[in-house]
Amino acid sequence: MLFDVPFLADWKKIGDYKQRQTDRNNERENKTRVDWDYKIGDKVLVLKEGILRKSETKYEKDPWTVSQVHTNGTIRIQRGTKSERLNIRRVTPFFEENND
């Protein structure tokens, strides 16, 4: 049986709940992020584009060298004679293993 009772939304409570959810999700996402400032001479791996097979890695296998850092969130990378300007979201820092 349905009753004709008006629903009164508590918008303050709804807004607070959504904000708590957003803050919790941001904390969870930011736990895995690496805060990194790129410098000239750093090595990076470039993210491959398109649909990849399961056996493929999502990064190119050879590292690129950072040749220029721009203030708008892009870097210029170079490998041999090829040079590209990429957003930093498409690259990840490359750490070389030291086998001393």
Side-chain angles (χ1 to χ4, degrees):
M1 181 184 302
L2 299 174
F3 297 104
D4 189 22
V5 179
F7 173 73
L8 297 175
D10 184 1
W11 293 108
K12 173 81 171 123
K13 187 175 179 181
I14 293 171
D16 290 343
Y17 175 75
K18 287 182 79 67
Q19 187 62 49
R20 274 196 319 275
Q21 271 186 319
T22 303
D23 293 342
R24 195 174 16 188
N25 287 338
N26 282 342
E27 283 180 34
R28 181 175 46 88
E29 283 288 328
N30 289 336
K31 280 182 186 177
T32 61
R33 294 228 168 113
V34 176
D35 188 27
W36 189 262
D37 292 327
Y38 292 98
K39 297 179 285 302
I40 296 173
D42 284 351
K43 296 205 181 283
V44 295
L45 293 173
V46 178
L47 190 65
K48 288 183 184 176
E49 294 180 357
I51 300 171
L52 303 175
R53 295 187 180 124
K54 288 182 182 180
S55 62
E56 290 182 307
T57 64
K58 62 181 181 177
Y59 294 103
E60 291 184 10
K61 57 185 173 187
D62 295 330
W64 293 65
T65 305
V66 176
S67 60
Q68 193 174 4
V69 179
H70 302 280
T71 58
N72 63 350
T74 60
I75 57 174
R76 182 162 296 278
I77 58 175
Q78 188 166 1
R79 185 169 58 190
T81 59
K82 188 174 181 181
S83 177
E84 287 186 45
R85 186 170 177 166
L86 296 174
N87 191 298
I88 60 172
R89 292 180 184 219
R90 291 195 49 215
V91 298
T92 187
F94 176 74
F95 302 104
E96 296 184 78
E97 294 180 11
N98 292 333
N99 294 333
D100 293 335

